[in-house]
Amino acid sequence: MFDSGLGGLTVAHAIMRQLPSESLVYFGDTARVPYGPKSPDTVRRYSQEIATFLIEQGVKAIVIACNTATAHALPMLRQSLEVPVIGVVEPGARAAVRASRSGRIGVIATAGTIKSSAYVRAIEAESPDARITARACPLLVPLVEEGWIDHDATRAIAREYLAPFMHDEVDTLVLGCTHYPLLKSLIAEIVGPAVRLIDSAEETAADTRRMLTDQSLHAASSEAGRYRFIASDDQAQFLALGQRFFGDTIERVELRTFG
Ligand code: DGL
């Protein structure tokens, strides 16, 4: 699986929990993060390079843990690769449609994901009558990376970003970016208990399980999964932040650079 950086570890964690016999190779493109403000062509090029590298490592399937890379590169990778490819947008959209009673759904994500309309298309494919309010929240990723998870500056900025959802009275809000689940409590405090927050990690892990079953790709259940973590820059930072968020699941980080 891959992400633009560390945020996709939320998806890795869900897969480790739901599929303990499966081994994972996690690539975080820490040299080129963030993908959110970059053009679709650039994100597609990066995604193709990483996918080729993962195939060289012998993977049997690829999970794109990054929303922006899913939005821009999923169709291309599905076409160009011979292994199954799963993204985070469809599972998140499906979970939102299931959770919403009023059909009024909000989406927050990076600028690239919102501009691509990938979530709007995926939600409408599940529920054509859904009323969707989507908003890019570009300042939230750097605030999370700064560790300002429970900080007044983050709260003030999030309040500003989330105001349209209060006017439109959504009952479900998709956290359409790897970093936003880390702000779940702060966002919940702003939007209130009536709004369900959707984090696609668990749903993506469930999709991965279904795909492995359908394609008879499951690892033997007697095996314990083995994990490799690879970054394109600053392994020490990856290790420190990774351990802070996810404990000692991460013992060592390898380095692989591109270009
Ligand atoms: N991983 C990205 C996403 O889920 C967020 C960080 C970035 O902009 O690269 O969209």
Side-chain angles (χ1 to χ4, degrees):
M1 57 193 306
F2 72 93
D3 177 41
S4 55
L6 278 155
L9 289 170
T10 49
V11 184
H13 219 233
I15 290 182
M16 288 171 192
R17 265 201 316 271
Q18 288 195 33
L19 297 163
S21 301
E22 301 297 338
S23 294
L24 282 183
V25 182
Y26 181 98
F27 182 88
D29 199 1
T30 46
R32 304 188 288 196
V33 69
Y35 283 9
K38 297 202 168 75
S39 73
D41 279 349
T42 298
V43 174
R44 278 194 279 271
R45 179 160 53 80
Y46 292 173
S47 302
Q48 183 68 62
E49 281 173 355
I50 296 165
T52 304
F53 167 71
L54 290 175
I55 298 285
E56 285 164 11
Q57 308 311 302
V59 303
K60 61 185 176 185
I62 291 183
V63 176
I64 311 178
C66 175
N67 292 260
T68 310
T70 301
H72 295 321
L74 179 65
M76 176 199 77
L77 291 183
R78 279 195 171 148
Q79 227 177 12
S80 69
L81 300 178
E82 278 171 14
V83 301
V85 185
I86 299 239
V88 281
V89 171
E90 281 165 27
R94 203 178 320 121
V97 167
R98 229 180 15 234
S100 175
R101 260 171 257 132
S102 67
R104 291 179 168 217
I105 298 174
V107 180
I108 52 174
T110 65
T113 300
I114 296 299
K115 262 191 237 146
S116 77
S117 299
Y119 268 106
V120 172
R121 277 197 309 273
I123 293 169
E124 284 176 350
E126 293 284 328
S127 170
D129 297 332
R131 287 175 54 193
I132 305 159
T133 305
R135 179 148 202 209
C137 305
L139 294 174
L140 296 186
V141 166
L143 288 165
V144 171
E145 302 221 321
E146 193 60 31
W148 289 14
I149 306 286
D150 182 24
H151 192 289
D152 283 344
T154 310
R155 199 164 281 111
I157 289 168
R159 207 169 268 128
E160 192 80 22
Y161 279 142
L162 295 170
F165 301 102
M166 318 303 263
H167 298 143
D168 289 351
E169 292 178 352
V170 302
D171 72 352
T172 304
L173 180 65
V174 180
L175 309 180
C177 170
T178 46
H179 289 53
Y180 301 170
L182 299 166
L183 295 175
K184 214 170 186 174
S185 325
L186 186 143
I187 293 171
E189 191 189 295
I190 297 170
V191 296
V195 177
R196 297 276 302 271
L197 301 181
I198 304 294
D199 154 2
S200 45
E202 293 297 334
E203 199 70 21
T204 302
D207 257 34
T208 306
R209 182 216 300 272
R210 269 191 292 274
M211 175 275 289
L212 293 174
T213 304
D214 290 350
Q215 311 224 11
S216 306
L217 286 173
H218 261 304
S221 57
S222 54
E223 283 175 29
R226 278 165 289 112
Y227 308 127
R228 280 177 70 194
F229 297 94
I230 309 168
S232 52
D233 195 15
D234 207 346
Q235 296 138 278
Q237 169 79 350
F238 189 111
L239 191 63
L241 264 178
Q243 286 181 337
R244 193 167 124 207
F245 288 130
F246 306 102
D248 53 14
T249 312
I250 306 177
E251 287 168 358
R252 175 170 165 259
V253 180
E254 300 165 45
L255 181 70
R256 169 67 161 87
T257 55
F258 291 101

